Amino acid sequence: MVTLITRTIPKKNLHLEFHLRIPEHSPQGGRVGSLKTNTSVITNYTDFHIFEVQNTLTIDRNTGSISIIKDLDRESGPSLSFTIMGVDRDMYCELVILGTMHVVIEDINDHSPQFDSSSYDVSLLENDRTTIYKHVLSVTVFDPDEGQNGKSHFSLTGQYQDRFQVDTTDGKTAKIFTTTIFDRETIPRLKLYLLAKDGNASGVHTSTSTINVHVLDVNDNAPVFGHQVGTTLTIRENADPYCIGNISATDKDEGVNGTVSFIVAGGSGYFEIGRYNGILCSKERVDREVYSTFNLSLEAFDHGQPQLKSLLHITVNVLDENDNPPRFINPVMASYPENKTCKSPVITMKAVDDDADKTITYNLSNTYFKINSTTGVVRCKQLLDFETQRLHTFTVVAVDSGKPVRSASTTVVVSVQDVNDNKPVFSKSKYATQVLISHWVANKPILVLNASDADSGKYGEVTFHMPGRNLSQYFTVAGNVVRTVTPHAPSIGNYTFNITATDGRSPPNIARAQVVIYLSTISSYFSPDNSSRPLPFRNWFPHSEISFSVIENRNYSTKAIGIVNANGTRMGTITYALVEKNGSFILNGTSGSLFYRGQFDREKKSLHQLMIRAKLTNGSDYDLILISIHVSDVNDNKPRFKPSSHLTIYLNETIPKDTLVTNINATDPDVGPNGNVTYMLSPDTEFKIGARTGAVTVAQMLDVDSSNSSHRHLRVIARDQGDPPQTSTTSLHIVLVDVNDNAPEFTQPRYTFHVKENAEVNDMVKVNISLRAYDRDSEKSTNGRVIYGRTMVAVGEQGSCPFYVSENGDISVSKKIDYETKRKYTCLATASDMPVDGNSKNATALVDIFLDDVNDNAPEFKNIPRFVNVSRDVPVGTVVTDAVVATDSDTDSCNGAIVYSLTSANRRYFSVDALSGNITVQHPLWALPPVVTLTIVAVDMPQFDAPLNNSVHVVVGIYGNIRARFVKPRYTATVQEEADPVSDIVQVVATGHHYSQGTVSSRRYVYSLQAGQFSHYFRINNFNGMVSQMRPVDREVTGGSIPLYVTVTEGMSPTSMDTAVINVTVDDINDNVPIFTSRQQKQTFVINQTAHVGSVIGRIASFDPDDPATSSAVYRPIIANRSISLDSSGVLTVKEPLVKHGVEFYTIQLMVGVSDGSKLQGVSVYQLTNQTTSALVIINVTQVGNSHAPIFTQDIYGANISSTSRQDQTIPIPEFNANDGDGDNITYSIVSGNVRDIFHVDRVSGVISIQYDLDSTIPRVINLTVAAVDSGSVSKSSTCVITISQVGSDTRNCFSSDELNNQIQTEINKVYPFVVGVVAGLMVAAVVVAIVLAVKLRMSRKLLSQLYCTNTVLSSKVDDNGQRMRYARSSVDRDYREARPYTSIADLSEIFYIEDGSLSKTGTTLRSHTYSDADPDYESIQNDTCGRYKGHL
């Protein structure tokens, strides 16, 4: 259907002004005014018409009455202007423009106020007195009505509404104020309802929004300990660490203000408390004997600012365990006089017990001693006798009363003190001897006395005396021998006197014995020759006494000690006899030999004296001699330590060097070297002993700490000088008493720690090297226990550091720290020991604490504009404001870096620069309401911490008229190539939004499709924007993407026009077969003769305009060579060795065919029969050596092509070339990056061209990797990258209304001849195709006849796959059958060799056939080196 519109152009314009006011939403059809009521000038006019608002108002053609035909909405437009025309009755019904009607649409209250949010959140600080009458919230409402209809009255309802008031000055913005202060613990949150009523005070329309008020916590409550907590706890002694109590505390505040943590002070480091759970536990075993009670201070603190805390003092009593046995503290040696009564204590034993129960009982079991079980007093049971037992040893046991019972024992040594309670005792009471006066000489021994004393020492030393002086001139006592004094003997007779023996006592004990000396003479005797003459007198013995020496421990019972020999007279035989009988000595009376029964013991008696009488047998004469037997010492006794040498000695560790500790005394009863005792000490590092004196002294400074033990167990060795020597050992136990002689020492003089600035108070500083001090005093005493000063002094500053040290050396934060205020603290830490005497020693160390910056400051907006205006028509990219700037107090480069972003609500229309914060328009604003709120978020960029952010609201006022706009600037659609046209492929939508009671309304718009290269394939519905396809599309003509440009206008006004783009994607079908282009019909390759079998020569290229995803080229040899292999992908490889000796260069030629490996769709017979599907392949085989690889002049080239470039267009690339140092020929190929094979490189020249027209699916930038390969014997190659960029872009033509109409009319004028031409062309093409098909059919039959000689039968049928198949059969060779899909004449070709004028088919059997060179289907090719021809049939 064709609608013909005719127009009469008015020739006259009266330029009248008509005015009309119409209330919005007046009833449709109602009369609202008349032209004639506006002026009387038009009384002569009729046939009135209204232009531009035909769908809104109507005018009575005759009367000029104006009526409403569409609802009027002032908010869509407050006024209308349109042209009124009429016919002048007096001017032969001439059409006249009367003028312009101006319609004002009057507002009515038809909209409710709209809050910009359904709910608001307000946060208030509790206890903040500044909140009284403080403005806390501004709420803006939007009401499109005008005047009082658009203004609102506000009121508040809800709980605690009396604590707030609302006020407004413009009816648009409500300001909320507080009227009192708030306590979060009483009212943590509340909800208010803000009511907005527009119109007058009674209101016509209302809206409600919710205000959620959150009272923010202030740290105004300190933690409170639970009432169940007592003040006394207990802990078991020696128990493994365990928890002894659960301390609880609560804080009414919330968040960090109400988070309670605990720390413990005191307790000497033995206790710890769960930081957050308050569980109090021990950290190590407690020894009650060191600490019986602990006084702990528990601190509960919150994490608010300022921090609040509470203290709780707790006493922890250590429950005693019976873990200590009693220990004796008194000496364990005593002496007691013999014969003393047992009433006096011998020794009082004293034992102590460190445990709480100190009740100790004593016991011992001994014959001589007893002990009081309570007092420990030891007494004897009977009198002690030194002479019976000189030393008593017994064990005393001390037992405590604990459970389990523990005891200790010690050995007590009691030495009995000797008392002179024994008198000397003579061996007999009367001694008598006979002495001849004839043998009297001076100092002659005549009698040996024998007396003993059972006492010891000097009390047992016996001294003989001869009292009186009456016989002293004749007799004396020397030692125990009675001797003569004068050489003149007294007269013959008996002499009697007393001898006294005294001991060493003063006064001494005395014993008496009687001595009788018989002095006589004998008759004179005569010599033998004259018996009547007496012999002269002479002594029998040359000396009056003789000595013998014996060795102790030897046997003298058979060996004589010595021989007594008297020089007697010739008067008779002499016999020998002992004056005093002695059972131990034996005297041979005849020989005078002296023997001894048993063995001598020098230690018992070193001198034996005997008187021997020699006499004649007739008894007429005799003489006396004193025999002294000296016993020589043998080293048969070990040194013997005195009991006092077994000692336990307590020494202060500070005792000076060379101080005498004790004297060790050992005796040896042997004499001489055998009795000389020397001393040695083991070990001898700290102590030494005098080798001769036995004095033990300090050899070096003593230190309990370095040895970590207070006990020294020494071994004393006593050695005599005998050969071999005899040794004895005893132990010396020295206990070192620790003295606080060492101050604590820190492990290093200066420490460096790092702590994050956000560390909470009481957070412990995490360190790799702990602050530790050590005291070399013994840890077993408090001298070696180290405690740390809690407060550290700031070095170089007044006051203390904001850190404290716990008793075990852990450093914690004591007050709030801030990196931005101070970055480093240098503090002085102290450590002290805990001596018993209270005189502690101290040590100090410097502590450098560096604060590490953390992201603890959020970005802060300052001086931000709260309201900015922007025109609705500003172009995209316009900066709305550059004043949105935030700062961050963090100074670290990352923590202080700020990135801006915009929340998702309006991100489509606005953007914010991430670095500067500039707000920019990024989408047309035509669809937005007059007021929008943007939320700008500033986020910092910490490297390690969580980012912090802050936001600010910026209200943007958008002013200006609302125009028609497409909802989207770009649309997409898809059509199938060569498919039947499809209706409704895509719909474009435009709208001019305006807000009416919260809903979006649209106007009526006119859509148009702009003329373009391929726009005639489509059409658009001018009213609903639906686009449809009009005719099939050939992708190879249009390209893969077709841009369509559509416009929308509101009425016919070009000022309200908008443009959008539809990108139509054409899905390809496989409707083209691959071909060889003119450049590809001859392809040359180079290979060296030395190439191995399997070496790749190259790849054959062809062109297929179809998308590679829908088509694939398949290659096959038509005329082949046995040395070359061709696979279906076009890769040429060496099949047999290429070496020809003596031939440096030769050529191999192949004929190669290409076909489509995918199923074809819609391929015409014309296309199948008129495409070049074969190519000549020349392979140059060379022997030239190759030393250099080709070198491109550049690694990367750049080239530009127009986005409208067409097929076969070459691409100029400046200086693109490769050179080979060997002078080899260079061939070029594209290695990668050739998207859809759009580019082709000439193998010889390297010229790059486009294989088919560009379309929008081709990337804007393509990086081609091109290889250059030389023709050396062993080819070398190099690559370069060519960056090809498309320049130019799709352009849109914007037309004015008149231009657009003219353009449309021009395109219509072009289309009709084109359509007619196309139809005529199609008809001609159909006739030509029919003729060509007929000719080709005849040619095909002729070819087959020539190929198979005669009578070739062709048949046709559809196979199982639905594909048309052709079958050929030769009458000459009835065994040959062939069936192929009929796609082209070339598909029926076979591979042949031509030798000597006959055609041979490759295979196992040679069949000869004749042929004619005149055959037009035979193309002769040059002969190869074997003299054979190849041909393509």
Side-chain angles (χ1 to χ4, degrees):
M1 180 183 68
V2 178
T3 301
L4 181 62
I5 301 175
T6 60
R7 289 186 179 180
T8 301
I9 306 301
K11 297 182 179 180
K12 184 178 180 181
N13 189 339
L14 302 182
H15 298 288
L16 299 177
E17 296 286 338
F18 303 93
H19 296 277
L20 182 64
R21 303 182 67 88
I22 305 173
E24 63 175 329
H25 304 304
S26 295
Q28 296 183 19
R31 180 178 177 278
V32 294
S34 175
L35 292 179
K36 295 182 179 181
T37 59
N38 281 268
T39 178
S40 59
V41 178
I42 62 172
T43 55
N44 198 37
Y45 291 86
T46 185
D47 195 13
F48 300 103
H49 291 84
I50 295 178
F51 288 89
E52 288 115 6
V53 291
Q54 293 91 334
N55 297 328
T56 303
L57 299 176
T58 184
I59 188 169
D60 188 281
R61 299 168 64 93
N62 298 317
T63 65
S65 296
I66 299 174
S67 302
I68 299 174
I69 61 175
K70 181 184 178 181
D71 182 56
L72 297 178
D73 184 9
R74 188 199 67 81
E75 286 71 37
S76 298
S79 63
L80 297 174
S81 295
F82 50 89
T83 302
I84 297 180
M85 293 185 292
V87 176
D88 189 347
R89 295 188 181 97
D90 297 334
M91 297 296 293
Y92 308 102
C93 296
E94 180 182 5
L95 183 62
V96 178
I97 298 176
L98 300 177
T100 303
M101 170 70 77
H102 300 282
V103 179
V104 176
I105 303 175
E106 296 179 341
D107 182 57
I108 64 172
N109 192 14
D110 59 340
H111 292 86
S112 297
Q114 298 294 321
F115 289 97
D116 55 4
S117 177
S118 61
S119 63
Y120 302 88
D121 291 301
V122 176
S123 297
L124 302 175
L125 280 178
E126 66 169 330
N127 303 333
D128 185 5
R129 294 191 174 275
T130 63
T131 58
I132 301 177
Y133 302 111
K134 179 180 180 180
H135 174 218
V136 295
L137 178 65
S138 292
V139 177
T140 302
V141 294
F142 173 71
D143 192 330
D145 295 325
E146 66 178 354
Q148 290 299 320
N149 294 334
K151 294 183 179 181
S152 299
H153 302 274
F154 301 94
S155 61
L156 288 172
T157 60
Q159 190 180 17
Y160 304 110
Q161 67 182 43
D162 56 332
R163 295 175 180 253
F164 299 86
Q165 71 179 32
V166 61
D167 192 12
T168 183
T169 57
D170 57 0
K172 296 290 187 180
T173 301
K175 294 184 178 181
I176 313 299
F177 297 86
T178 58
T179 61
T180 184
I181 61 176
F182 294 84
D183 181 16
R184 190 204 66 81
E185 287 71 38
T186 304
I187 306 174
R189 62 189 58 84
L190 55 92
K191 182 178 290 187
L192 300 175
Y193 298 97
L194 179 61
L195 179 65
K197 296 181 181 179
D198 63 7
N200 50 41
S202 60
V204 176
H205 297 286
T206 63
S207 293
T208 303
S209 183
T210 304
I211 302 176
N212 298 307
V213 180
H214 305 273
V215 182
L216 302 180
D217 186 47
V218 173
N219 195 24
D220 56 346
N221 293 279
V224 178
F225 284 99
H227 64 279
Q228 78 280 4
V229 177
T231 58
T232 302
L233 297 174
T234 59
I235 184 174
R236 300 190 304 274
E237 180 185 16
N238 298 330
D240 290 331
Y242 73 103
C243 297
I244 63 174
N246 194 348
I247 310 301
S248 63
T250 57
D251 193 318
K252 293 181 180 179
D253 295 319
E254 68 174 358
V256 295
N257 297 333
T259 301
V260 180
S261 298
F262 301 89
I263 59 172
V264 58
S268 301
Y270 279 92
F271 297 91
E272 62 183 359
I273 191 169
R275 183 176 179 85
Y276 300 107
N277 57 22
I279 299 178
L280 182 64
C281 305
S282 60
K283 294 171 60 179
E284 55 182 288
R285 295 184 178 188
V286 179
D287 186 357
R288 193 206 64 83
E289 286 68 49
V290 178
Y291 298 100
S292 60
T293 301
F294 295 97
N295 293 315
L296 306 182
S297 294
L298 302 183
E299 180 180 304
F301 60 91
D302 56 30
H303 295 261
Q305 187 66 31
Q307 189 180 77
L308 301 178
K309 61 183 178 181
S310 299
L311 292 177
L312 176 67
H313 299 288
I314 289 181
T315 299
V316 179
N317 295 322
V318 183
L319 300 178
D320 184 51
E321 295 285 334
N322 192 29
D323 57 339
N324 292 282
R327 53 185 175 87
F328 289 95
I329 60 173
N330 62 292
V332 294
M333 297 188 65
S335 62
Y336 197 75
E338 64 176 334
N339 300 327
K340 186 178 181 179
T341 63
C342 293
K343 292 182 179 181
S344 300
V346 176
I347 186 174
T348 299
M349 302 303 296
K350 180 64 175 177
V352 296
D353 194 330
D354 295 328
D355 293 321
D357 189 351
K358 301 181 181 299
T359 302
I360 298 175
T361 58
Y362 306 91
N363 63 77
L364 66 85
S365 177
N366 188 267
T367 304
Y368 294 95
F369 299 93
K370 63 182 178 180
I371 190 170
N372 186 303
S373 61
T374 303
T375 63
V377 174
V378 177
R379 290 183 173 86
C380 60
K381 293 181 180 180
Q382 60 186 22
L383 297 178
L384 304 180
D385 184 15
F386 176 81
E387 288 72 31
T388 303
Q389 185 172 345
R390 298 184 179 187
L391 200 66
H392 295 271
T393 302
F394 54 88
T395 300
V396 176
V397 179
V399 182
D400 64 17
S401 57
K403 292 183 180 180
V405 175
R406 295 185 180 273
S407 62
S409 63
T410 187
T411 299
V412 180
V413 178
V414 178
S415 60
V416 181
Q417 297 175 357
D418 187 27
V419 176
N420 195 12
D421 56 346
N422 292 283
K423 295 180 179 181
V425 176
F426 283 97
S427 58
K428 53 185 177 181
S429 60
K430 182 179 180 180
Y431 294 88
T433 185
Q434 293 180 353
V435 178
L436 291 177
I437 194 170
S438 58
H439 294 293
W440 183 281
V441 292
N443 200 32
K444 182 179 179 67
I446 58 175
L447 181 66
V448 175
L449 301 176
N450 190 8
S452 62
D453 193 321
D455 293 324
S456 63
K458 64 180 182 177
Y459 294 148
E461 297 177 356
V462 178
T463 304
F464 296 95
H465 302 277
M466 182 178 172
R469 293 183 177 271
N470 53 343
L471 295 176
S472 60
Q473 68 274 26
Y474 300 111
F475 303 99
T476 186
V477 177
N480 64 335
V481 177
V482 178
R483 294 176 180 269
T484 63
V485 176
T486 179
H488 304 289
S491 58
I492 297 172
N494 297 331
Y495 296 91
T496 302
F497 54 89
N498 291 327
I499 297 296
T500 62
T502 61
D503 57 22
R505 179 186 175 187
S506 179
N509 290 317
I510 301 173
R512 294 178 175 81
Q514 190 179 49
V515 176
V516 179
I517 305 297
Y518 298 99
L519 184 61
S520 63
T521 185
I522 60 171
S523 300
S524 299
Y525 54 91
F526 302 92
S527 60
D529 58 345
N530 190 2
S531 60
S532 63
R533 183 174 57 84
L535 294 172
F537 170 80
R538 65 185 177 91
N539 287 320
W540 287 12
F541 297 102
H543 302 287
S544 60
E545 54 185 293
I546 60 175
S547 297
F548 297 123
S549 292
V550 295
I551 299 174
E552 67 173 328
N553 300 332
R554 287 190 181 181
N555 191 343
Y556 289 93
S557 61
T558 58
K559 178 182 178 181
I561 297 172
I563 299 175
V564 179
N565 187 13
N567 296 323
T569 66
R570 296 183 297 273
M571 298 304 293
T573 303
I574 298 175
T575 61
Y576 302 93
L578 293 174
V579 176
E580 293 288 338
K581 297 295 182 184
N582 190 317
S584 298
F585 289 93
I586 304 172
L587 181 64
N588 188 313
T590 303
S591 63
S593 296
L594 183 63
F595 299 92
Y596 186 77
R597 292 188 179 94
Q599 295 178 346
F600 291 99
D601 185 357
R602 194 207 64 79
E603 287 71 42
K604 290 183 178 180
K605 195 170 185 180
S606 61
L607 177 64
H608 297 267
Q609 292 180 316
L610 304 172
M611 293 301 297
I612 296 178
R613 181 179 287 112
K615 67 178 179 180
L616 296 172
T617 54
N618 59 8
S620 60
D621 196 4
Y622 59 88
D623 197 0
L624 297 174
I625 189 172
L626 176 64
I627 305 297
S628 295
I629 303 172
H630 297 274
V631 182
S632 298
D633 187 46
V634 173
N635 193 21
D636 58 344
N637 289 281
K638 295 180 179 181
R640 298 173 184 173
F641 291 98
K642 291 185 177 181
S644 60
S645 298
H646 304 274
L647 297 176
T648 298
I649 300 173
Y650 292 86
L651 296 177
N652 281 344
E653 63 170 339
T654 56
I655 187 170
K657 183 181 178 182
D658 297 326
T659 301
L660 178 65
V661 177
T662 186
N663 282 307
I664 301 298
N665 191 1
T667 59
D668 193 324
D670 296 324
V671 294
N674 296 334
N676 291 336
V677 179
T678 59
Y679 302 93
M680 291 185 297
L681 197 61
S682 177
D684 59 355
T685 54
E686 296 179 307
F687 298 91
K688 62 183 178 179
I689 190 170
R692 296 291 181 182
T693 63
V696 179
T697 56
V698 179
Q700 65 180 33
M701 295 300 295
L702 303 178
D703 191 2
V704 176
D705 331 302
S706 60
S707 63
N708 201 24
S709 174
S710 60
H711 293 266
R712 305 292 190 271
H713 296 281
L714 307 178
R715 188 165 66 98
V716 181
I717 303 170
R719 173 183 293 179
D720 58 28
Q721 303 302 305
D723 186 16
Q726 297 273 12
T727 59
S728 297
T729 60
T730 188
S731 60
L732 179 60
H733 182 203
I734 299 177
V735 180
L736 298 181
V737 179
D738 184 52
V739 176
N740 189 27
D741 57 339
N742 293 285
E745 297 178 8
F746 282 95
T747 55
Q748 54 191 58
R750 192 163 195 153
Y751 296 84
T752 299
F753 300 140
H754 286 261
V755 62
K756 291 187 176 181
E757 64 166 327
N758 63 344
E760 297 288 345
V761 175
N762 297 312
D763 278 354
M764 189 166 64
V765 178
K766 305 298 183 181
V767 295
N768 293 327
I769 301 177
S770 301
L771 178 71
R772 289 293 181 267
Y774 299 91
D775 196 314
R776 291 187 294 113
D777 291 323
S778 175
E779 292 184 354
K780 296 183 179 179
S781 67
T782 57
N783 295 332
R785 186 174 293 274
V786 178
I787 60 174
Y788 300 88
R790 182 177 179 85
T791 302
M792 291 196 294
V793 179
V795 178
E797 303 176 23
Q798 293 184 349
S800 60
C801 283
F803 303 91
Y804 68 88
V805 185
S806 67
E807 291 184 350
N808 59 358
D810 295 330
I811 298 178
S812 301
V813 180
S814 63
K815 61 179 67 173
K816 195 68 177 176
I817 54 178
D818 184 22
Y819 174 86
E820 287 70 39
T821 304
K822 188 176 179 64
R823 300 186 181 185
K824 176 189 175 183
Y825 292 89
T826 299
C827 310
L828 192 67
T830 59
S832 306
D833 52 23
M834 300 175 61
V836 178
D837 58 10
N839 296 320
S840 62
K841 296 181 182 294
N842 303 320
T844 60
L846 289 175
V847 180
D848 293 322
I849 302 178
F850 292 88
L851 271 59
D852 293 336
D853 186 37
V854 298
N855 193 30
D856 58 343
N857 292 284
E860 183 179 0
F861 290 97
K862 294 182 179 180
N863 303 322
I864 303 302
R866 300 297 180 179
F867 192 90
V868 294
N869 289 320
V870 65
S871 170
R872 189 180 303 277
D873 296 323
V874 295
V876 172
T878 300
V879 176
V880 177
T881 178
D882 58 358
V884 179
V885 179
T887 59
D888 196 316
S889 300
D890 290 319
T891 56
D892 183 85
S893 59
C894 294
N895 296 337
I898 298 176
V899 175
Y900 301 90
S901 62
L902 188 66
T903 58
S904 59
N906 293 289
R907 290 176 62 180
R908 178 183 177 189
Y909 300 97
F910 298 93
S911 65
V912 61
D913 187 273
L915 299 180
S916 67
N918 293 348
I919 301 175
T920 306
V921 176
Q922 74 168 5
H923 189 277
L925 306 181
W926 50 268
L928 289 180
V931 177
V932 295
T933 300
L934 303 182
T935 301
I936 311 300
V937 180
V939 183
D940 50 26
M941 302 293 289
Q943 186 174 3
F944 302 105
D945 303 321
L948 300 177
N949 63 77
N950 200 351
S951 61
V952 65
H953 301 292
V954 177
V955 178
V956 179
I958 303 173
Y959 60 89
N961 295 326
I962 300 175
R963 301 189 305 168
R965 290 293 185 269
F966 280 105
V967 175
K968 297 190 301 182
R970 189 173 294 273
Y971 296 83
T972 60
T974 302
V975 297
Q976 187 75 32
E977 180 183 16
E978 301 295 352
D980 293 335
V982 178
S983 299
D984 304 342
I985 62 171
V986 66
Q987 184 179 20
V988 293
V989 178
T991 180
H993 292 100
H994 67 92
Y995 283 76
S996 176
Q997 297 185 1
T999 62
V1000 179
S1001 301
S1002 299
R1003 301 178 180 179
R1004 183 178 296 269
Y1005 301 106
V1006 177
Y1007 300 91
S1008 301
L1009 187 63
Q1010 292 187 19
Q1013 183 179 5
F1014 302 109
S1015 60
H1016 58 280
Y1017 285 87
F1018 305 92
R1019 67 183 178 186
I1020 189 169
N1021 186 308
N1022 299 110
F1023 299 103
N1024 61 15
M1026 185 64 72
V1027 178
S1028 301
Q1029 182 183 0
M1030 296 179 62
R1031 58 178 57 87
V1033 178
D1034 186 354
R1035 179 183 172 280
E1036 284 68 45
V1037 175
T1038 63
S1041 178
I1042 302 174
L1044 300 178
Y1045 300 95
V1046 293
T1047 58
V1048 61
T1049 57
E1050 183 179 351
M1052 298 301 293
S1053 174
T1055 59
S1056 63
M1057 184 176 66
D1058 191 24
T1059 306
V1061 179
I1062 304 174
N1063 287 322
V1064 181
T1065 301
V1066 181
D1067 287 346
D1068 187 41
I1069 63 172
N1070 191 20
D1071 57 347
N1072 291 277
V1073 296
I1075 63 171
F1076 292 108
T1077 64
S1078 59
R1079 292 185 178 183
Q1080 295 171 340
Q1081 291 176 16
K1082 180 179 180 181
Q1083 302 185 30
T1084 303
F1085 301 89
V1086 177
I1087 188 69
N1088 193 274
Q1089 293 187 25
T1090 60
H1092 299 289
V1093 173
S1095 298
V1096 176
I1097 302 172
R1099 185 170 185 172
I1100 298 174
S1102 64
F1103 171 71
D1104 189 336
D1106 287 326
D1107 193 319
T1110 60
S1111 65
S1112 61
V1114 177
Y1115 301 89
R1116 68 186 183 285
I1118 298 175
I1119 299 178
N1121 185 284
R1122 290 187 174 87
S1123 300
I1124 307 300
S1125 174
L1126 172 67
D1127 65 11
S1128 60
S1129 64
V1131 176
L1132 295 167
T1133 57
V1134 178
K1135 186 176 181 183
E1136 295 180 357
L1138 302 177
V1139 176
K1140 288 189 176 183
H1141 299 289
V1143 179
E1144 293 185 357
F1145 177 85
Y1146 66 93
T1147 300
I1148 299 176
Q1149 296 183 351
L1150 305 175
M1151 185 65 71
V1152 176
V1154 64
S1155 60
D1156 202 319
S1158 302
K1159 183 177 180 180
L1160 293 170
Q1161 303 177 24
V1163 182
S1164 65
V1165 175
Y1166 175 81
Q1167 184 185 20
L1168 286 175
T1169 57
N1170 287 276
Q1171 301 292 344
T1172 303
T1173 58
S1174 62
L1176 173 63
V1177 177
I1178 300 174
I1179 302 174
N1180 296 322
V1181 185
T1182 179
Q1183 273 190 341
V1184 179
N1186 194 9
S1187 301
H1188 300 85
I1191 299 176
F1192 284 95
T1193 57
Q1194 298 175 200
D1195 292 331
I1196 301 176
Y1197 297 86
N1200 295 327
I1201 59 174
S1202 172
S1203 59
T1204 60
S1205 299
R1206 293 295 179 254
Q1207 181 177 353
D1208 295 330
Q1209 179 178 332
T1210 60
I1211 302 174
I1213 303 174
E1215 299 181 4
F1216 176 74
N1217 188 27
N1219 300 312
D1220 189 284
D1222 299 315
D1224 295 333
N1225 294 328
I1226 297 175
T1227 57
Y1228 300 86
S1229 62
I1230 297 176
V1231 178
S1232 63
N1234 195 4
V1235 178
R1236 292 174 48 193
D1237 287 334
I1238 189 171
F1239 299 104
H1240 168 76
V1241 61
D1242 187 273
R1243 299 183 60 83
V1244 178
S1245 66
V1247 174
I1248 296 178
S1249 59
I1250 302 173
Q1251 297 202 90
Y1252 55 88
D1253 297 347
L1254 296 184
D1255 58 48
S1256 60
T1257 63
I1258 302 302
R1260 306 289 293 178
V1261 177
I1262 297 176
N1263 291 316
L1264 292 182
T1265 300
V1266 177
V1269 182
D1270 61 20
S1271 57
S1273 57
V1274 178
S1275 62
K1276 295 184 178 180
S1277 64
S1278 62
T1279 60
C1280 70
V1281 176
I1282 302 175
T1283 301
I1284 300 175
S1285 304
Q1286 292 189 52
V1287 296
S1289 60
D1290 297 335
T1291 57
R1292 302 181 186 180
N1293 297 321
C1294 299
F1295 304 95
S1296 65
S1297 177
D1298 294 338
E1299 292 172 337
L1300 180 62
N1301 292 333
N1302 294 335
Q1303 181 70 17
I1304 293 173
Q1305 187 61 45
T1306 301
E1307 292 298 326
I1308 292 174
N1309 295 335
K1310 291 180 180 179
V1311 166
Y1312 284 110
F1314 176 79
V1315 171
V1316 173
V1318 168
V1319 172
L1322 289 176
M1323 294 175 65
V1324 172
V1327 174
V1328 171
V1329 168
I1331 296 172
V1332 169
L1333 287 177
V1335 171
K1336 281 297 180 179
L1337 181 59
R1338 294 175 58 86
M1339 291 174 63
S1340 298
R1341 291 179 177 177
K1342 177 182 178 182
L1343 175 62
L1344 292 175
S1345 175
Q1346 293 176 352
L1347 178 61
Y1348 300 109
C1349 296
T1350 58
N1351 298 326
T1352 299
V1353 179
L1354 292 176
S1355 63
S1356 171
K1357 73 172 185 177
V1358 178
D1359 65 2
D1360 296 335
N1361 296 322
Q1363 193 169 19
R1364 175 69 62 182
M1365 305 295 289
R1366 296 277 184 173
Y1367 292 84
R1369 174 175 177 273
S1370 174
S1371 59
V1372 176
D1373 184 7
R1374 297 183 180 275
D1375 295 328
Y1376 175 76
R1377 298 289 189 272
E1378 180 178 292
R1380 290 193 174 202
Y1382 183 77
T1383 57
S1384 70
I1385 297 299
D1387 286 337
L1388 295 179
S1389 300
E1390 283 294 314
I1391 301 171
F1392 301 94
Y1393 289 100
I1394 307 168
E1395 297 182 2
D1396 301 327
S1398 64
L1399 186 65
S1400 299
K1401 181 179 183 295
T1402 58
T1404 56
T1405 304
L1406 293 176
R1407 300 179 176 85
S1408 298
H1409 309 279
T1410 59
Y1411 71 98
S1412 172
D1413 286 328
D1415 191 336
D1417 290 327
Y1418 171 75
E1419 180 180 356
S1420 178
I1421 304 176
Q1422 68 181 50
N1423 64 309
D1424 61 12
T1425 56
C1426 298
R1428 297 182 302 183
Y1429 288 87
K1430 302 172 185 178
H1432 178 227
L1433 298 173

